Amino acid sequence: MIGDAERFLLVGAGLFILGAIGFLTRRNLILMVLSAELMLHGVSLTLVTFGRLHQTQEGQAFTIFTLTVAACEAGLALSLVLALYRRTHSLDVWLWSDLGESDVPRPEIDSRHIPVATGYENIPKLTPAGIAPKEPPRSSPPVATNASRT
Amino acid sequence: MSDWLQAHPLTVVGLVLWGAGLLWLMPGRDDSPARSKTLGILNAAIGLVLWCVSLGGSRSELGDEIMFWVFGVGALLSGVLMISARNPVYAALWFALATLSTCGLFLLQSAPFLAAATVIVYAGAVIVTFLFVIMLAQQSGAASYDRRAVQPVTMTLLAFVLLGAIAYTIQSQPVVAIDNSGVATGIVSGNPLSQVDEKHPVGNLQGLGRSLFGDYLFAVELAGTLLLVACIGAIAIAPRREQGAL
């Protein structure tokens, strides 16, 4: 049972190598992300094999963390792919290989006007403690004058 | 190193055949139908089988053998077909098959919870997300950047040299294990969290829970925070509808 750990280790190494080849040879953004996920599969297999070899639970526990990080990475990578696709309408990664091309317009800095919150000019001040004023509440806060105190 | 080459001829032959099959399948300059895909798959499969035969190891019982062959060769073959697919949808589906084969390999190593979690997360969520993104970001026909691979010969050669180096490293030294009594053959780790537990052997789910939420509780909390941050990031980065149609 323990002796055939070599085969699992080498299958994991093979998956990792295949993912590396796919990442380096393809130009499609989605294929590159898929190849990175394949590399993570290989590493998970190696982790589980070593965990079984040393008979601790750490291999499987760390693989769960790898799974979590892979899911986060896939989500973020795919939203990045969508954002990049929106700009060039292509999934080619070579379009982004040079920074500052002459024919592509520079990306504008996101300068949306962030509205300042209004209505806070008349911050109500605390009226001094005492007898309540007789007049009804107005839009402007009551100014603490001596006349309001009886 | 030369004695390793003489002792394991099948490894090198299998690696060469596998690399040749992979190169045959890669999208190349002349994409004529004369380059048959069946030949490439056959070549890669034969190389894979030879390579797995050369891996050696003790012959366990027949069921385990068959399962390892099915899942191991299936995972590697699905990987080969995934990275050489011209259509990204096909690549995503081959990746689903590679994920299922990896789950089978997890099951063979007494990690049933991990197999179920991988199927749910990867084959259930990640691949579906990939297919949605492919659907949103697709081209009208076959794209020009899918037709040719970037320096496939160099990359395959280098990567297979690396795989040969890994095979040499693993096969030239015996993989040492801790036997059941916990007495290590020199590999006892000083880490107090990484000791052999007789009450919860490796396949036990209770032991995995104890390790995960007992020893590594901080990492679990961090993983939850990471998931939250990734969720917020994905919502923030993805383009919105009023910014223009995709």
Side-chain angles (χ1 to χ4, degrees), chain A residues 51-52 54-57 60, chain B residues 109-111 200-205 208:
Chain A
R52 184 172 74 108
H54 296 292
Q55 298 189 2
T56 60
Q57 302 281 353
Q60 298 187 22
Chain B
Q109 307 220 58
S110 49
H200 309 285
V202 171
N204 198 358
L205 190 57
L208 177 62

Side-chain angles (χ1 to χ4, degrees), chain A residues 20-137:
Chain A
I21 294 176
F23 189 81
L24 292 169
T25 35
R26 303 304 297 259
R27 279 165 64 180
N28 197 347
L29 274 169
I30 291 183
L31 268 171
M32 289 170 73
V33 183
L34 273 176
S35 306
E37 300 288 333
L38 194 64
M39 288 163 85
L40 282 171
H41 273 318
V43 169
S44 307
L45 195 57
T46 309
L47 272 172
V48 170
T49 306
F50 276 123
R52 184 172 74 108
L53 208 54
H54 296 292
Q55 298 189 2
T56 60
Q57 302 281 353
E58 291 184 326
Q60 298 187 22
F62 200 73
T63 309
I64 292 180
F65 294 132
T66 306
L67 204 62
T68 309
V69 171
C72 298
E73 164 202 338
L76 280 173
L78 288 176
S79 51
L80 277 172
V81 163
L82 277 179
L84 292 178
Y85 178 79
R86 186 180 68 84
R87 200 174 282 277
T88 57
H89 286 282
S90 164
L91 284 174
D92 196 356
V93 76
W94 279 7
L95 294 175
W96 299 96
S97 63
D98 305 320
L99 297 175
E101 299 181 16
S102 55
D103 49 334
V104 174
R106 294 192 169 275
E108 62 268 6
I109 312 239
D110 195 8
S111 57
R112 271 177 300 183
H113 173 64
I114 301 175
V116 179
T118 56
Y120 283 112
E121 293 89 16
N122 308 321
I123 297 178
K125 299 180 185 49
L126 278 178
T127 56
I131 314 292
K134 290 199 184 69
E135 53 269 4

